Amino acid sequence: MKTALITGAGGQDGRLLSRLLLADHWDIAGLVRHEASTVENGVRKIVGDVGDGTALRETLDAVKPSRVFHLAAAHHSSEGGTGDKSAEVAAMIRVNFEAAATLLEWIAAGSRATRAVFAGSSQMYQAQGADLFVDETTPANPRTFYGHTKLWTRDLVRHARERLGLHASFAVLFNHESELRAPSYVTRKIVDAAVSGAPLELLNIGGRADWSSARDIVAALAAMAERASPGEYVLGSGEAHRVRDWVQIAYARTARDPVAVTAKSDTANAIPIANPRKAMLDGVWRPRSAFHTLVENMTDAIAGTRNPATGLH
């Protein structure tokens, strides 16, 4: 049996990756923080702190995975903005970096055939004055402490790959969405309001980002693990869209007038944008959902109006 360990298995990416691997007959162990976390049917749920090195090694010894996907991440938005900055910083170090080190140490010590994929972030980069197109050679310049911890992990994965000979890959992930996105994210807030008709206040309707389908992202992560050679890839659409675009498409899909949508500002911003050329050339990145389709699919899914004729999901 092919066995995979997914950290953060209860999150958007963990659940979508689980679905993909289950369809390919993988045995999946999903590590989550809380007993109440939802994992996909067929996934063995393991409750534990990925940042606890001893517990994580025990999990690895028990599961003996041939594939590891480190998707768990700690940052202030995912933690709900607790306000305790020192606790947030400590969590980011433990979950984002130290857990990655534990995983690589375990693989190097006794399971060198295991292949591992680590999720990075576009927050490893920042645009100053003009949009920054990011590829695998772009110098990192983190704009957040979260971005710093992801950069440390990237360098650790590079060392494991280049010096230790491990099949360890790293993906710089730009914004990616689905109906499984947490309600605290602006894209989900917009879709929820479009479906329900509730009033919606946005911080900046002119804000821009590089958004793609979370399903396309996890398909790329799975493809990275199956490549003969490990590597580093930038994954994103290569396009910038505005928060306003989400509003217009989602509200048009639900035939609602966005009259109840207000915003505190309407300011365009310079942003990092993915250049996924290497991932496309290597057959890792094959995006199937254009931006317009992504928003419509997410809106349909939240509204519970999947259309079998079109395959919207």
Side-chain angles (χ1 to χ4, degrees):
M1 176 68 80
K2 303 179 292 185
T3 304
L5 174 67
I6 300 175
T7 71
Q12 168 188 256
D13 296 355
R15 293 182 62 188
L16 292 175
L17 179 60
S18 294
R19 292 179 189 179
L20 185 66
L21 297 181
L22 286 168
D24 196 29
H25 309 292
W26 281 82
D27 176 32
I28 303 172
L31 185 58
V32 296
R33 286 187 302 162
H34 306 297
E35 183 62 46
S37 298
T38 300
V39 298
E40 294 302 300
N41 290 335
V43 172
R44 288 183 286 152
K45 181 163 69 173
I46 300 174
V47 180
D49 181 359
V50 70
D52 181 336
T54 299
L56 182 55
R57 290 184 188 91
E58 291 174 353
T59 296
L60 289 161
D61 288 339
V63 174
K64 296 180 174 59
S66 55
R67 301 288 184 274
V68 170
F69 297 90
H70 185 37
L71 308 185
H75 53 90
H76 63 86
S77 60
S78 69
E79 299 300 309
T82 63
D84 186 343
K85 297 301 180 185
S86 61
E88 290 175 0
V89 166
M92 283 186 262
I93 293 172
R94 289 190 307 104
V95 174
N96 303 345
F97 177 69
E98 292 180 354
T102 299
L103 292 167
L104 289 168
E105 288 169 3
W106 183 86
I107 293 170
S111 187
R112 296 183 64 87
T114 296
R115 299 182 176 189
V117 178
F118 296 82
S121 171
S122 60
Q123 290 190 34
M124 294 161 52
Y125 305 90
Q126 58 181 310
Q128 297 177 318
D131 290 343
L132 174 69
F133 285 87
V134 175
D135 63 20
E136 293 75 13
T137 67
T138 304
N141 182 19
R143 65 183 179 88
T144 62
F145 186 77
Y146 173 76
H148 278 285
T149 61
K150 289 295 187 178
L151 175 59
W152 303 342
T153 300
R154 185 204 68 179
D155 292 344
L156 185 67
V157 173
R158 282 184 177 178
H159 176 81
R161 181 172 61 248
E162 297 170 2
R163 300 296 181 89
L164 304 181
L166 302 186
H167 197 296
S169 296
F170 186 85
V172 177
L173 306 184
F174 279 71
N175 301 60
H176 49 284
E177 312 298 324
S178 78
E179 71 277 8
L180 298 181
R181 175 60 87 189
S184 59
Y185 284 79
V186 65
T187 51
R188 177 65 187 272
K189 288 180 180 179
I190 292 168
V191 170
D192 284 349
V195 170
S196 68
L200 174 65
E201 183 177 19
L202 299 170
L203 290 177
N204 182 14
I205 200 168
R208 302 163 65 239
D210 178 335
W211 281 291
S212 60
S213 164
R215 287 176 170 80
D216 290 342
I217 288 288
V218 301
L221 297 177
M224 287 168 61
E226 299 312 308
R227 281 185 51 80
S229 300
E232 188 172 307
Y233 293 99
V234 170
L235 303 179
S237 73
E239 302 174 350
H241 293 277
R242 301 169 299 172
V243 172
R244 179 184 288 104
D245 299 329
W246 275 88
V247 171
Q248 292 173 341
I249 297 169
Y251 277 79
R253 192 64 168 179
T254 59
R256 293 188 187 275
D257 187 338
V259 65
V261 178
T262 59
K264 293 183 177 180
S265 67
D266 184 357
T267 306
N269 54 320
I271 59 169
I273 300 174
N275 176 358
R277 183 173 182 272
K278 177 186 173 187
M280 296 182 74
L281 289 174
D282 285 356
V284 166
W285 182 238
R286 299 186 182 93
R288 294 174 294 176
S289 296
F291 176 76
H292 194 281
T293 305
L294 164 64
V295 181
E296 290 186 340
N297 286 0
M298 187 170 168
T299 305
D300 287 345
I302 296 298
T305 56
R306 292 180 176 86
N307 185 343
T310 62
L312 295 179
H313 53 269

